[in-house]
Amino acid sequence: MTATETVATTVSDATVVIDNASLTYTVRSATKETGPRSLIQRIRGVAGVSQQYVDALKPLSLVVRTGEAVGVIGTNGSGKSTLMKLLTGHLPPTQGTIYATSTPVMLGVNAALVKQISGYDNITLGCLAMGMTRQQVEEKRESVIELSGLEDRALRLPMKAYSSGMASRLQFAIATSMDPEILIIDEALNTGDAQFRDRTAARIDELRSQAGSVFLVSHSLPTIREMTNRCIWVQQGELVMDGDPAEVTKAYHGYTKRMAQKKYEEGAKYLDGIRQDYVPQAVVWS
Ligand SMILES: Nc1ncnc2c1ncn2[C@@H]1O[C@H](COP(=O)(O)OP(=O)(O)OP(=O)(O)O)[C@@H](O)[C@H]1O
């Protein structure tokens, strides 16, 4: 990294501003010490626990503007989910600051729906949990049902009887019912069928056109190309590329292909080249 590009940030068009934010996890684990001394120390809480630090995200800055659907790619463990958790406020950054015009709504594999109650009841609960009034829930109910694409018979069943694709459909319909200004989709599309993917693509376009922003974390490069208009590549906790989805996914594929062929040295060199070309952003308020 040789230079830093200054990004003038006007409040009028930015939905998310990440200003030099990083995240280090602290992992505590039991050590393998044995013997009477270590037992006493353990009881006293002064030994037997070691602490490790994982730099999941190195300091990064990013400005996302209205109308952008940002694809987030990177190999396993590269820091994508950690970045999304910072955006939603599930984790505070170790350093730096994150600003958002409204709280991002996360639609992920773990989105909370209650397995024991029916799809219909989950619509009510989910919408209420997102802050709707009873009247707003009733007004939205039909559109949520329609977007989910689930039939009356399925919606009457407890959610524990749903396939993962059916659950994803319902999660998606509930999470987007509030027209969130910032929507984060973390791998939730992987379980859906073609019809669900088409509905999702249409809904993403709709949200973007209402001056919102969407983040889409996915390992599927065609999905990223199809559904986003900007793509960031996070690798080993670092933002290494940011740009047109076709270009970024092509470069990423160049890296993963080499690694899959066990050309590790060549892959590392290739990644270094990508890193060198990336001009990090620095946020300056104007
Ligand atoms: N709760 C945690 N405690 C400690 N380390 C963690 C925790 N969660 C993630 N990590 C570590 O942080 C790094 C980034 O993980 P993260 O889940 O953000 O990656 P990811 O890009 O989303 O991966 P994947 O594609 O596999 O979902 C990894 O090294 C991971 O081991």
Side-chain angles (χ1 to χ4, degrees), residues 115-161:
K115 286 195 162 69
Q116 288 75 14
I117 63 174
S118 71
Y120 280 127
D121 288 342
N122 267 295
I123 293 176
T124 309
L125 267 189
C127 290
L128 288 173
M130 288 197 309
M132 286 189 205
T133 61
R134 284 253 168 210
Q135 193 187 334
Q136 284 170 326
V137 176
E138 290 321 313
E139 284 164 9
K140 287 280 180 185
R141 187 178 296 281
E142 272 314 303
S143 63
V144 174
I145 292 170
E146 197 191 325
L147 184 63
S148 78
L150 295 173
E151 289 173 5
D152 176 64
R153 197 175 51 90
L155 286 163
R156 286 175 191 276
L157 290 174
M159 280 215 35
K160 62 183 174 198

Side-chain angles (χ1 to χ4, degrees), residues 16 18 21-23 25 56-57 60 62 64 69-74 78-93 98 100 102-109 182-188 213-218 224 230-234 239:
V16 172
I18 303 175
S22 69
L23 190 118
Y25 289 104
L57 268 187
L60 72 86
L62 185 74
V64 174
V70 183
V72 184
I73 57 174
S78 59
K80 304 177 299 294
S81 297
T82 302
L83 180 59
M84 297 305 112
K85 284 177 192 158
L86 287 184
L87 291 183
T88 54
H90 280 96
L91 288 175
I98 290 160
S102 65
T103 307
V105 170
M106 164 88 96
L107 171 72
V109 278
I182 304 163
L183 174 68
I184 299 177
I185 305 172
D186 193 349
E187 290 297 351
S213 298
V214 177
F215 290 84
L216 175 60
V217 181
S218 181
I224 294 283
R230 178 180 176 185
C231 180
I232 60 172
W233 172 8
V234 180
L239 183 52

